Amino acid sequence: MGKKGQEGEGLADITEHLGSTTTILLIAVALGMDAFSLCVGIGMKGIRLLHVARISAAIAAFHVIMPLVGLFMGQYVSVLLGGVASMIGGGLLVVLGGHMIYNSLRAGDAPSFNTGSLFGLLAFAISVSVDSLSVGVSLGMFATDLALTVLLFGAMGGLLSVVGLLVGRRVGQMIGEYGEALGGAVLLVFGVLFLI
């Protein structure tokens, strides 16, 4: 009887852990898909493989940092700042997208938005990762292993960023000079959606 009880308890623990891990994985994929779609826009502008690695690494890092910041800020403060953070992220995307469209219309007269610069890289990575901040509020409710959770968020964010940048790069090569304008339009639309 005692042995059967222990086996049943062990099975329940495994089932609970599997359910928790599946939930975390689904949230990580959802956050990563957001990064994927925004990275397609940046990739359309034309991007070197070295920049693909740098941008993806920055997004992966912020997909780890932002949930931790949300977790440590606490639920009340995060709920108040969550809306502000989304507004800031949306505003950044609108500015970046608008600048890319403006630059493509000026036929190269204006300097292009540069994700290769530290400011450009950080601005883009933060705007892409801002959703992770509010997710951090509820980490304590579903995360049995905090380190594994945030590392999974970072890995998915980085991986899907690479895929998005490479897809955008390929599409940008196919559509030529309109790639930057189209990529800017993608960022602009997502920025507006964040703001409403």
Side-chain angles (χ1 to χ4, degrees):
M1 180 79 177
K3 190 175 180 182
K4 284 186 179 180
Q6 287 176 349
E7 285 175 4
E9 203 174 285
L11 185 60
D13 287 345
I14 291 170
T15 305
E16 183 181 332
H17 182 71
L18 186 60
S20 175
T21 303
T22 303
T23 302
I24 292 164
L25 183 60
L26 290 174
I27 293 170
V29 169
L31 291 172
M33 287 305 292
D34 193 29
F36 167 82
S37 56
L38 295 172
C39 283
V40 169
I42 286 291
M44 280 188 206
K45 160 184 157 171
I47 190 166
R48 295 183 336 182
L49 292 178
L50 177 63
H51 287 137
V52 169
R54 288 179 65 193
I55 291 169
S56 299
I59 289 171
F62 277 100
H63 269 69
V64 169
I65 293 167
M66 295 295 243
L68 290 174
V69 168
L71 178 69
F72 292 125
M73 281 189 340
Q75 187 164 359
Y76 179 70
V77 175
S78 264
V79 167
L80 288 178
L81 294 181
V84 174
S86 291
M87 296 282 283
I88 291 169
L92 278 171
L93 289 174
V94 167
V95 169
L96 301 177
H99 182 73
M100 284 172 66
I101 293 169
Y102 174 74
N103 184 58
S104 69
L105 296 176
R106 294 273 313 233
D109 292 343
S112 177
F113 169 72
N114 183 11
T115 51
S117 73
L118 182 61
F119 173 76
L121 180 65
L122 289 177
F124 183 67
I126 289 170
S127 64
V128 168
S129 305
V130 88
D131 286 348
S132 304
L133 182 70
S134 53
V135 170
V137 174
S138 53
L139 272 181
M141 287 187 265
F142 61 82
T144 54
D145 186 346
L146 183 61
L148 176 67
T149 301
V150 295
L151 289 175
L152 193 55
F153 285 3
M156 276 300 182
L159 176 66
L160 290 172
S161 297
V162 169
V163 174
L165 289 165
L166 293 177
V167 166
R169 183 175 184 239
R170 186 72 167 154
V171 170
Q173 288 170 351
M174 290 190 293
I175 61 177
E177 62 187 60
Y178 300 106
E180 185 170 6
L182 189 56
V186 170
L187 294 184
L188 191 63
V189 166
F190 275 101
V192 170
L193 290 175
F194 276 10
L195 291 172
I196 42 179

